């Protein structure tokens, strides 16, 4: 970047910003619902200031160097917040591309008299902005992935509730597929709850588990054994006919585990074990 | 018997020997092992507990392990040691009740079950 161009950009910073803002605001894809114009403006200004400040260093092919880190940081921050706010990739990309447009436009006006120079400088700016776009996208995708990961964690967290159905009886409805990671969470939650509530019976309800293969069965057996080690009894309920079929066909031995067809019958069994009786009270006549 | 420290292998072996001797001497009908203070187990430890249960069984005493922590339970399961033949309970109180009921079933004259208070210190 020759000195003059850099100087020129520095002097024209305001113009570039104005032009850029105009481009952005004129864009049909402007998301006023997600970001206010003032906020957009401050973001843009921040980025331009950092960018123009760094252009002075001359070397702008190597974005890994330290002097570019503030720009990368600002861009990264913007990209991540946009990913979280739910901007589409196109909208996020346009943020950077519209800046390129603005810079090139200003350059064209300023260097009208020197086509050769205009061409070389434009090339440089192009390359720089493309690199910045790539960085923006990388960060954007990373931000999106973080969101997805967090959601996955949340789903695992909320999909394994441990319910106290009675004093000393816990129920744990499992919804969705059981993989190793989830089994681990289910097991930990269940055992923790057993310790905290001092429950002696735990009912694992698998009516929400779509399929049981040998691996899932293995996980279930593990959970049951762990519960037994803690000194509580574990009942598996909610076994659908097709699951029973699969289990038998796969040759999985569940004979040493108490299994019940429904949560209700598991609860009835628990009452029997705890020597509890549920009685219907005969209607009391009003005297 | 209550175990108050994390067990070292040597300690565990001594414990095993002492306990079997004790069961024999007092002709105890039940052994209650409280491992609520044990936070780390390995396969060796798991085997020792299994051994104690088997030995006691031969000497006609039931073994109940109480107060196992979740982490310990998960570890033992992952190691493939489901401790078959060992009875378990949540806490001392429940363990004693379980022992009593088991002994009452096997014995007409309900012996007081013996728990040796070997507080193991380093």
């Amino acid at each position: 970047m020759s000195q003059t161009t850099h100087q020129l950009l520095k002097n024209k910073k305001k113009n570039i910003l104005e032009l850029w803002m105009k481009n952005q605001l004129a864009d049909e894809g402007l998301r006023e619902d997600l970001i206010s114009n003032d906020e957009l403006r401050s973001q843009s200004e921040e980025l331009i200031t950092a960018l123009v400040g760094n252009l002075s260093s001359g070397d702008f092919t190597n974005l890994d160097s330290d002097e570019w880190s503030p720009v990368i940081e600002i861009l990264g921050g913007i990209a991540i917040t946009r990913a979280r706010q739910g901007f589409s990739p196109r909208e996020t990309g346009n943020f950077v591309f519209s800046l390129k447009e603005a810079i090139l436009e200003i350059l064209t006006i300023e260097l009208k008299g020197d086509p050769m120079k205009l061409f070389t400088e434009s090339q440089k700016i192009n390359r720089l902005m493309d690199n910045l776009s790539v960085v923006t996208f990388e960060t954007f995708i990373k931000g999106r992935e973080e969101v997805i990961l967090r959601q996955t964690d949340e789903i695992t967290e909320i999909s394994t509730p441990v319910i106290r159905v009675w004093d000393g009886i816990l129920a744990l409805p499992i919804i969705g597929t059981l993989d190793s990671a989830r089994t681990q969470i289910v097991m930990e939650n269940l055992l923790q709850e057993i310790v905290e509530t001092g429950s002696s019976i735990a009912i694992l309800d698998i009516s929400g588990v779509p399929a049981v293969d040998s691996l899932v069965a293995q996980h279930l057996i593990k959970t049951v054994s762990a519960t037994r080690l803690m000194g509580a009894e574990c009942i598996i309920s909610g076994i659908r006919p097709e699951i029973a079929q699969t289990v038998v066909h796969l040759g999985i031995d569940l004979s040493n585990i108490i299994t019940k067809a429904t949560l209700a019958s598991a609860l009835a069994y628990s009452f029997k074990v705890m020597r509890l009786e549920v009685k219907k009270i005969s209607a009391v006549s009003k005297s | 018997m209550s175990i108050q420290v994390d067990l070292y292998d040597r300690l565990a072996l001594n414990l095993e020997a002492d306990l079997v001797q004790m069961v024999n001497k007092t002709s105890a009908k039940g052994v209650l092992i409280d491992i609520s203070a044990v936070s780390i187990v390995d396969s060796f430890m798991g085997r020792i507990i299994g051994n104690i249960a088997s030995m006691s069984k031969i000497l006609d005493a039931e073994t109940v392990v109480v107060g196992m922590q979740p982490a310990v339970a998960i570890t033992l399961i992952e190691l493939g040691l489901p401790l078959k033949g060992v009875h378990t309970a949540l806490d001392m109180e429940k363990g004693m009740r379980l022992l009593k009921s088991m002994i009452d079933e096997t014995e007409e004259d309900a012996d007081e079950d013996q728990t040796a208070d070997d507080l193991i210190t380093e």
Side-chain angles (χ1 to χ4, degrees):
Chain A
M1 180 66 85
S2 73
Q3 209 47 32
T4 48
T5 312
H6 154 243
Q7 282 299 341
L8 183 144
L9 286 179
K10 208 165 190 161
N11 300 338
K12 295 284 173 190
K13 194 176 98 178
K14 248 196 162 54
N15 302 27
I16 294 176
L17 179 62
E18 288 310 320
L19 196 58
W20 187 22
M21 284 309 294
K22 203 178 79 191
N23 287 351
Q24 289 193 85
L25 295 177
D27 188 9
E28 282 180 12
L30 179 70
R31 300 293 298 263
E32 284 180 353
D33 54 329
L34 293 179
I35 189 164
S36 70
N37 287 349
D38 293 341
E39 206 177 333
L40 185 66
R41 192 179 191 88
S42 70
Q43 273 186 2
S44 310
E45 196 160 6
E46 193 184 14
L47 181 64
I48 284 202
T49 314
L51 187 67
V52 171
N54 268 297
L55 284 175
S56 58
S57 60
D59 174 33
F60 59 105
T61 45
N62 181 16
L63 286 182
D64 297 334
S65 62
D66 290 344
E67 53 202 23
W68 278 102
S69 65
V71 179
I72 303 280
E73 214 166 291
I74 289 168
L75 258 184
I78 291 173
I80 282 194
T81 37
R82 294 198 167 213
R84 287 200 189 123
Q85 286 167 331
F87 277 81
S88 72
R90 174 189 296 260
E91 286 152 357
T92 313
N94 275 345
F95 176 73
V96 182
F97 289 132
S98 54
L99 170 62
K100 181 163 110 178
E101 296 286 317
I103 294 181
L104 288 180
E105 207 165 318
I106 297 284
L107 264 186
T108 317
I109 295 167
E110 293 301 319
L111 297 174
K112 253 203 309 260
D114 192 350
M116 199 58 219
K117 189 171 176 190
L118 172 62
F119 178 71
T120 47
E121 295 301 335
S122 305
Q123 283 290 70
K124 282 183 186 170
I125 292 282
N126 257 331
R127 219 168 314 159
L128 168 70
M129 294 311 287
D130 287 350
N131 278 334
L132 286 181
S133 309
V134 171
V135 169
T136 312
F137 263 95
E138 274 180 345
T139 338
F140 180 80
I141 301 283
K142 210 156 68 195
R144 283 281 271 260
E145 274 169 2
E146 273 169 20
V147 170
I148 293 168
L149 275 178
R150 209 181 52 240
Q151 283 174 345
T152 315
D153 283 349
E154 264 168 28
I155 291 169
T156 1
E157 210 47 56
I158 58 177
S159 61
T160 51
V162 183
I163 306 159
R164 288 188 63 177
V165 281
W166 202 265
D167 193 26
I169 304 175
L170 295 176
L172 205 155
I174 300 173
I175 318 259
T177 39
L178 260 184
D179 53 12
S180 307
R182 266 194 80 188
T183 312
Q184 196 68 21
I185 291 174
V186 167
M187 220 188 319
E188 278 169 20
N189 284 351
L190 181 62
L191 299 188
Q192 202 54 52
E193 203 66 27
I194 286 174
V195 170
E196 276 168 21
T197 58
S199 305
S200 50
I201 294 185
I203 305 171
L204 271 184
D205 187 79
I206 57 166
S207 42
V209 178
V212 174
D213 56 11
S214 41
L215 202 62
V216 173
Q218 194 63 40
H219 290 321
L220 286 174
I221 292 170
K222 264 187 186 173
T223 311
V224 173
S225 312
T227 321
R228 202 188 67 82
L229 278 181
M230 298 278 308
E233 209 169 349
C234 193
I235 307 165
I236 297 183
S237 76
I239 299 174
R240 292 195 305 275
E242 50 272 27
I243 286 185
Q245 250 178 318
T246 324
V247 166
V248 173
H249 280 246
L250 289 170
I252 299 160
D253 181 26
L254 292 180
S255 57
N256 47 9
I257 293 175
I258 308 156
T259 50
K260 297 279 176 226
T262 60
L263 186 64
S265 53
L267 197 57
Y269 171 84
S270 313
F271 282 163
K272 212 157 55 200
V273 169
M274 295 177 76
R275 303 207 177 110
L276 295 168
E277 226 176 23
V278 181
K279 269 203 202 126
K280 184 167 184 169
I281 304 169
S282 52
V284 186
S285 54
K286 284 181 186 166
S287 49
Chain B
M1 173 200 61
S2 156
I3 297 173
Q4 298 291 353
V5 289
D6 282 336
L7 285 173
Y8 305 105
D9 293 359
R10 177 61 55 80
L11 209 60
L13 280 172
N14 290 343
L15 168 73
E16 190 182 273
D18 291 352
L19 196 81
V20 181
Q21 290 296 340
M22 205 72 182
V23 169
N24 197 14
K25 214 159 54 193
T26 58
S27 63
K29 290 280 170 284
V31 178
L32 190 112
I33 306 178
D34 178 14
I35 58 166
S36 53
V38 177
S39 54
I40 301 167
V41 287
D42 54 10
S43 52
F44 184 77
M45 184 59 217
R47 224 183 61 223
I48 293 280
I49 294 177
N51 286 354
I52 290 174
S54 314
M55 293 169 195
S56 307
K57 189 79 199 149
I58 294 169
L59 294 168
D60 190 29
E62 296 288 349
T63 307
V64 177
V65 174
V66 300
M68 191 182 292
Q69 291 180 12
V72 172
I74 292 176
T75 310
L76 285 177
I77 295 298
E78 293 298 335
L79 289 169
L81 294 163
L83 297 188
K84 289 258 182 288
V86 181
H87 302 283
T88 51
L90 270 173
D91 48 36
M92 280 292 231
E93 197 185 324
K94 284 199 170 82
M96 288 301 271
R97 224 181 302 150
L98 179 67
L99 265 180
K100 273 206 170 66
S101 68
M102 280 192 299
I103 290 162
D104 287 347
E105 275 171 25
T106 52
E107 300 269 321
E108 287 78 35
D109 52 327
D111 276 324
E112 267 303 302
D113 52 297
Q114 168 85 30
T115 53
D117 281 324
D118 292 335
L119 283 189
I120 297 174
T121 45
E122 287 164 88

